[in-house]
Amino acid sequence: MNRVVHPIEEESYRRLRARLDTSHFPPLTRAVVERVIHSAADLEYATDLVMDEAALERAYAALHAGAPVVVDVEMVAAGITRRETVCRLKEAVAGPGLTRSAHAIRLAHEQVGPGALWVIGNAPTALEELLTLAADPALVIGLPVGFVGAAESKAALRESGLPAVSNVSEKGGSAVAAAALNALLYHPTSYPDRSEHPEETS
């Protein structure tokens, strides 16, 4: 069921599209790019984000078939309001050579097993830990933020060959990571490209 969009959000998308032509993107890529830009008011994400439409299509199918969604922090979970998420940060404990965020990813992996969608918007070490596990993800949304390790962890994600949404720069964060997942949640469950209508694609 498609969501009802507030007029302010609809106007925001109209202004976004007036300033940036996104019509050349394929449908799901466009949905992710626009929702991330909308969440951050940052047009540079149009060229900073890296993703593959075929991988998004497979992830979209898994998500709408009920695949688990794992997040690294509660701030990401708070931005995903239409799906229950798994976040194990409260139970995680830092140890020698292991951050609390990385331990939370281990705990979540033990819980959900293969085929989940992983949404990492805060800690580069969480993304680094995920890449050491045999997670077999449906998708990794890897958009951690920071000057230490963020760009490097996202480069490692791209080099891993896993299906992913990432970005090249140090920027990112919980809001944009949640937005990327929401783009897949909000897109119509049977979609020819209805991208001219934000009430159907946003």
Side-chain angles (χ1 to χ4, degrees), residues 75-193:
M75 284 294 289
V76 176
I80 301 170
T81 58
R82 289 191 137 200
R83 177 63 69 87
E84 292 295 318
T85 61
V86 173
C87 181
R88 298 297 301 274
L89 191 62
K90 287 180 180 177
E91 303 100 312
V93 179
L98 186 72
T99 67
R100 188 164 162 244
S101 294
H103 187 221
I105 293 300
R106 286 190 190 179
L107 294 174
H109 178 247
E110 292 169 2
Q111 177 179 339
V112 304
L117 289 89
W118 295 78
V119 189
I120 297 176
N122 184 65
T125 58
L127 181 53
E128 291 164 0
E129 181 64 23
L130 179 60
L131 296 178
T132 71
L133 304 173
D136 191 21
L139 186 70
V140 179
I141 295 173
L143 296 169
V145 61
F147 292 116
V148 179
E152 293 84 353
S153 66
K154 290 179 279 194
L157 172 60
R158 290 190 293 278
E159 290 165 8
S160 74
L162 294 175
V165 175
S166 69
N167 69 304
V168 175
S169 72
E170 294 94 345
K171 63 187 175 184
S174 297
V176 297
L181 191 280
N182 285 337
L184 300 181
L185 275 176
Y186 298 165
H187 207 66
T189 51
S190 126
Y191 63 94
D193 185 9

Side-chain angles (χ1 to χ4, degrees), residues 28 52-64 117 138-139 163 191:
L28 290 173
D52 173 72
E53 184 73 8
L56 292 180
E57 289 173 356
R58 293 188 291 272
Y60 176 92
L63 180 64
H64 287 273
L117 289 89
L139 186 70
Y191 63 94

